[in-house]
Amino acid sequence: MSLDPRDALRLALAPNSIAVIGASDNPNKIGGRPLAYLSRFGFKGVVYPINPTRTEVQGMHCFPDLASLPEVPDVVVVAVAGEQAIAAVDECGLAGVAVCIVMSSGFGESDPQGKARELAMAARARSRGMRIVGPNSQGLANFGNGAVPSFSTMFTEVMPADGPVGIISQSGAMSVIPYGLLRARGVGVRHSHATGNDCDVTVCELAIVVAEDPGLKLLLLYLEGIPDPWHLAEAARVARVRNLPIVALKSGRSAAGQEAAQSHTGALANEDRTVDAFFAEHGIWRAQSMVDLVDTAQLYLQGWKPRGRRLVAISNSGAVCVLTADAASAADMPLEPLSDATQGELRAILPGFATTTNPVDITAALLSNSGLFGAILPPIAKDPAADAFLIGIAVAGAGYDVEAFASDAAAFATATGKPVVVAAPQLSVSDRFKKHGMAVYPTEGEAVQALGQYLSHHELQLEATHRQPAVPTRPRAVGPACMLDEAASLALLAGRDITAVRHRLCGSEAEARAAFTALGGTPVVVKGCTGEVSHKSELGLVRVALRDIDAVGQAYGDMTEAARAAGITLTGVIVARMVRGQRELMIGARLDPVFGPVVLVGDGGKYVEAMPDVQVLLAPFDTPQVEQALRRLRIAPLLDGVRGEPALDVEAFCRMAAAVGALMVDDAAGITQLDINPVIVGARGAGCVAVDAVVYQEITLPNPPPKES
Amino acid sequence: MSLDPRDALRLALAPNSIAVIGASDNPNKIGGRPLAYLSRFGFKGVVYPINPTRTEVQGMHCFPDLASLPEVPDVVVVAVAGEQAIAAVDECGLAGVAVCIVMSSGFGESDPQGKARELAMAARARSRGMRIVGPNSQGLANFGNGAVPSFSTMFTEVMPADGPVGIISQSGAMSVIPYGLLRARGVGVRHSHATGNDCDVTVCELAIVVAEDPGLKLLLLYLEGIPDPWHLAEAARVARVRNLPIVALKSGRSAAGQEAAQSHTGALANEDRTVDAFFAEHGIWRAQSMVDLVDTAQLYLQGWKPRGRRLVAISNSGAVCVLTADAASAADMPLEPLSDATQGELRAILPGFATTTNPVDITAALLSNSGLFGAILPPIAKDPAADAFLIGIAVAGAGYDVEAFASDAAAFATATGKPVVVAAPQLSVSDRFKKHGMAVYPTEGEAVQALGQYLSHHELQLEATHRQPAVPTRPRAVGPACMLDEAASLALLAGRDITAVRHRLCGSEAEARAAFTALGGTPVVVKGCTGEVSHKSELGLVRVALRDIDAVGQAYGDMTEAARAAGITLTGVIVARMVRGQRELMIGARLDPVFGPVVLVGDGGKYVEAMPDVQVLLAPFDTPQVEQALRRLRIAPLLDGVRGEPALDVEAFCRMAAAVGALMVDDAAGITQLDINPVIVGARGAGCVAVDAVVYQEITLPNPPPKES
């Protein structure tokens, strides 16, 4: 019987036997490369070329078909085209093959017909207990055991070396470009898998299994779409247990990029800031570019246990010191002065015009005395001001003892155990430091940026490990929804501990007048209540700061008139207390089709769309997470009060946001979207109230909305 | 007699004779390197080693002193230490030497005593008509004529090649690091000058002369401080005449960086956003890092005349297409679809699963048919959707005709004349494209970012050429200033066409009551008027929205009481009409000690410090420049009205800002600083008014402030 689906993936990475349907004698063809690679890279299992037109392929016995093989192979590579490919996959499924790697293209990436063929093929495979990688896959590559059923050109161009890095990508190119760039930097790569159209096995699911590899110290992902965040969260969980960092490059950040992704892998667009929040939640670092993805890699392989972000810089160039200070500032890495004792020791070693605070500028005096570098390292090593170091060797060569610099620096790094990055623009210099195992960058800017990212990711991993985020389930399918009017929206929220401003829904001018009195005769806001439009002020359906009963009566009449003019049906007119607070914030929420309930918190008021200042939270979350999010807003300085203003009641707002999160995860409530704007937040202790709200609720079959009479 | 000071600098770059005081036989010593370089790099003039202890140095006749030379050399390198250096410089000045290059350190970069020695040495040289480069200078290097009086180690490590790039730097390291990085990219460098402490000749002044070199296509600057923007503006003017782009890396962006710069070259801190504005004004591109400085260099050397920013991308990888679209979006480069006609032609060439819109994804079909690449270029070349191109060859090698790709791409670039960048992560591929003279980057992200910067700089240069910015003069020395109270500030501004809100300064409660009536009985603001504090609301000295005469009378009393409690003397109480407008903006201004009058425009109100949203203008400027600045603000969307609001009276605000600019450039007004916040801006046509203002005016000797009685 068929394997556990996850075990099948484990087998795909370490099969006992691999067959290639469409085997070619030409090692540069799609059907030829996998065979060439399996023998070249030392695969220990059995390989079965299959091609009915040949008896021998690349020196191996060739079989006419799957049925002729002496056994059912664990993995079958399908390298034939079109209908033949589909027939081959079906045959594999019937024969009991565990995993089919479909390299053939012309499926979902081509057109809707191709997509339909792909889905049907995947469904048949699933019913037969077979996993599919692809179609349109470049193949898998595990250099740890030579299982390289892949047709990538890269492995003939850049020689592999087994190492502690794994790469998984939907795109073939992006599975091997980081491989190539890392190999060029001397880093070994074990896994380089390209999953193609992900009709069954996705990048995220494969990542779960790859993350189990105890030989890995870094896992890199390239994604164009994330259709299954639950798999990625599971992979992150597996990785966290082993302190395996995951860095992901998720493209399609921009509208143009999403459009291009749609024609490339047919990836569905994910909302970019939700992706950001998801990665952060699960401790995954999001790289911004390919350079980003590979530039920090070497730092993860050093085995450091960073304790903080305070940087100490050492260079023979004052300008490198200045540029390092700028870069460190941009990367939020403070430069604290070395202790008086350390500075005293340094002054005894360095000439008078050198700088001993931090950065430490040895100056060009190093040209006259190469020993200065090695001499200052021991005092610096024991200084408490450093969590990490940058060593900048701006210029060296004839007249300098570069080998001593490199070996002294390496000894220093070992002695401190703290992160050390080297900036050296000259190849002759950087090569020496690399030979001593150090992390070297051409410029201080690149070195500091990479170090900053590495440290930030480390913090993110610690937070995630501490928080132990739940692995989300696949969100339920959401039915059609309708917009509730303001009064109904506020009432629904009030039932969930989301306090609304005091208000009354009035059906007549007399009721409106009575409401004004009942609310205490203080200034009120009068609003038309309707479930037909969400932006009311543009239509004359909002009047603020009404101070007397006649104005309220007048507003009632004006509003019914304005609604009639705009062709809108009012369910009544709301008379609400006008509340003063310290700041208008907002809370929004929606059900993302793949990420589930997403809550937005941010600055509120009229300009939330024109000048957005919001942060994303993935529900469920707790109040400290809301506060963390608020502290990332542009308006964060206002939370604690500025210019003599009191601090905001952040605690009350956080509770309200958490209540919204709880509402959104409650499937029974059937809320698909809501916007509470503004939430008027008072001074600390004064609480906050929802002043306007729009809620969209699912039209569920048990309780259909009342029919119009 | 002495040369024109500028001619002396020209001579420094192309001297007929160079002497080296402190000549060393060791070519790796500071006194030996210049001699070695002058002979190695083919200097055609006469070289005079000077050292009283030797008769021969590096195979050349050595002279005991300056007086023994057969002529007065044009340039003398001083490579002796301490007092000897000062004596040597003095001797050169007396002898009539044109330029002294002082390599010796221990001057201004060391301590205040060193600074004093340096200033005195420079003053004596100036009185004798001699220019000084340095002290603490690594020297000059002109590979166009072999005049390389420099001790940089880099020129023995990375072989020079004359080329179209000039580099000028205060720092020695930063004069040669870009040299090394550019040479490694195959770019020739002619000038690599390090000016050191800039006690006389500065980077900016030297740039004027270097910019005259007709062989240059790009001038790179490294600056830690800009003490003489007038020289830099002049250099930019000279460069603009010849379409010579200037790219500058100005470090000390951050507080930490400024502190490090202070101990490196003693650079005075420039306000960073003022530096940004100055560079933009004069068409100089500000690089953010060393990588930034060198990464775009090759693009400037291609001789392109860009017409726009619309990018067309072509790749054999869909993922490269997606990442390119993301990068282009971030770099503000739109991807417009190719025309139907072009797409039709491409569809006839490419397989059905390829993408023909833009980006054009050839797909892995290129592996089966290398001819596809060359075939699609001619139709794309004539498509009107492209201002520039990215060609991404994600993976190639065995099975691909890479040489054909490179030669076809080069022919395509020549045919279109439009900017073309190539992204190729494999060295074997990028080398081929480089051999064909193309601009190649490892990844699409780097390629697009460099292209975007190049295009932005091109636009900046065009604007500057169109605007012909004036070369500023050295700002006058500013005396001590005093703060005017609000009433005096508003009165002064009113005399300069800067309209204030209607208000009265009242000396008694009765006057305050009368003012309320005189202002029309509408809501008023009451403020304590004082020249002693600028932030009044924290002290209870501001009351808004007072609607009746008794409240105004009460406020008068409260305010005098609050002032007494705070120990502040009021010059009266202001009763002002409370004006409603569409938005509160602000205008600020100050006299920068080196950049002169600087005007800030931005979002106004209470939070200008907590959440700044401002842009810098260098006065004088015109109203279109103000509007451009406003369009860069975060609040820019509000200018045209959002959510049904009317557009702001941007024109009136621009006129007010221009009036402030005119006031600031009027030395006779003696304004050293002012803040108008808020400026209440009405709907278009409704104008704007200054509601609060603080002006600081110089205490000039002719009109001393009245003595306290």
Side-chain angles (χ1 to χ4, degrees), chain A residues 248-261:
Chain A
L249 177 58
K250 160 73 175 68
S251 64
R253 284 201 94 103
S254 61
Q258 287 184 353
E259 211 172 294

Side-chain angles (χ1 to χ4, degrees), chain B residues 213-551:
Chain B
D213 184 337
L216 286 199
K217 291 183 180 167
L218 176 62
L219 180 54
L220 304 178
L221 307 179
Y222 173 80
L223 300 155
E224 294 190 358
I226 305 179
D228 53 344
W230 44 93
H231 281 142
L232 188 50
E234 172 68 11
R237 197 193 57 73
V238 170
R240 271 198 308 277
V241 171
R242 301 188 30 239
N243 284 319
L244 172 68
I246 302 180
V247 178
L249 177 58
K250 161 72 175 70
S251 63
R253 286 201 92 106
S254 61
Q258 288 183 353
E259 210 172 297
Q262 174 61 34
S263 29
H264 179 218
T265 46
L268 284 176
N270 299 114
E271 194 198 36
D272 206 56
R273 59 188 179 188
T274 305
V275 172
D276 280 337
F278 180 82
F279 282 163
E281 170 81 5
H282 295 280
I284 298 169
W285 185 257
R286 184 169 188 182
Q288 301 299 313
S289 66
M290 182 52 67
V291 168
D292 235 22
L293 190 74
V294 298
D295 249 20
T296 48
Q298 53 177 330
L299 303 183
Y300 290 99
L301 311 182
Q302 301 273 353
W304 294 324
K305 300 203 186 327
R307 299 289 179 92
R309 303 183 72 90
R310 295 169 310 151
L311 183 71
V312 168
I314 306 159
S315 180
N316 63 333
S317 156
V320 168
C321 292
V322 180
L323 288 167
T324 300
D326 278 348
S329 192
D332 196 19
M333 299 181 67
L335 273 76
E336 288 187 6
L338 296 173
S339 72
D340 290 346
T342 306
Q343 291 202 44
E345 288 186 65
L346 295 184
R347 272 194 298 272
I349 298 164
L350 293 174
F353 47 85
T355 311
T356 58
T357 47
N358 176 25
V360 177
D361 179 6
I362 307 172
T363 76
L366 189 63
L367 175 56
S368 312
N369 178 2
S370 272
L372 292 176
F373 181 75
I376 62 168
L377 294 179
I380 294 174
K382 57 188 170 53
D383 192 277
D387 296 317
F389 301 95
L390 175 131
I391 293 172
I393 303 295
V395 184
Y400 292 89
D401 188 351
V402 180
E403 178 55 29
F405 300 162
S407 62
D408 288 345
F412 168 78
T414 308
T416 66
K418 295 173 183 173
V420 182
V421 291
V422 178
Q426 289 166 273
L427 276 181
S428 58
V429 178
S430 61
D431 281 347
R432 297 264 191 167
F433 280 87
K434 281 180 191 165
K435 276 200 191 103
H436 284 274
M438 305 207 67
V440 190
Y441 296 84
T443 68
E444 58 292 324
E446 291 157 290
V448 170
Q449 201 188 330
L451 180 60
Q453 274 184 34
Y454 164 77
L455 294 175
S456 297
H457 189 189
H458 186 76
E459 290 162 18
L460 204 63
Q461 285 176 276
L462 285 181
E463 281 171 33
T465 300
H466 175 74
R467 201 171 52 237
Q468 296 289 351
V471 173
T473 53
R474 189 189 293 254
R476 68 192 176 88
V478 174
C482 74
M483 176 176 153
L484 305 187
D485 67 29
E486 182 175 341
S489 296
L490 291 174
L492 186 147
L493 295 174
R496 298 286 184 149
D497 290 329
I498 297 157
T499 311
V501 66
R502 280 187 63 198
H503 67 281
R504 284 205 182 178
L505 180 63
C506 309
S508 67
E509 189 181 325
E511 278 181 33
R513 286 171 169 269
F516 177 74
T517 310
L519 291 171
T522 56
V524 294
V525 177
V526 176
K527 292 180 280 189
C529 187
T530 174
E532 295 175 14
V533 293
S534 54
H535 282 8
K536 287 178 290 214
S537 56
E538 289 88 335
L539 298 170
L541 294 176
V542 179
R543 287 282 179 78
V544 299
L546 302 185
R547 290 159 199 282
D548 64 74
I549 198 161
D550 291 335

Side-chain angles (χ1 to χ4, degrees), chain A residues 252 254 326 398 538 643 645, chain B residues 157 252 254 326 538 607 643 645:
Chain A
S254 61
D326 279 349
E538 290 88 333
R643 303 275 326 261
E645 291 176 351
Chain B
E157 300 297 311
S254 61
D326 278 348
E538 289 88 335
Y607 300 134
R643 302 278 324 263
E645 291 175 350

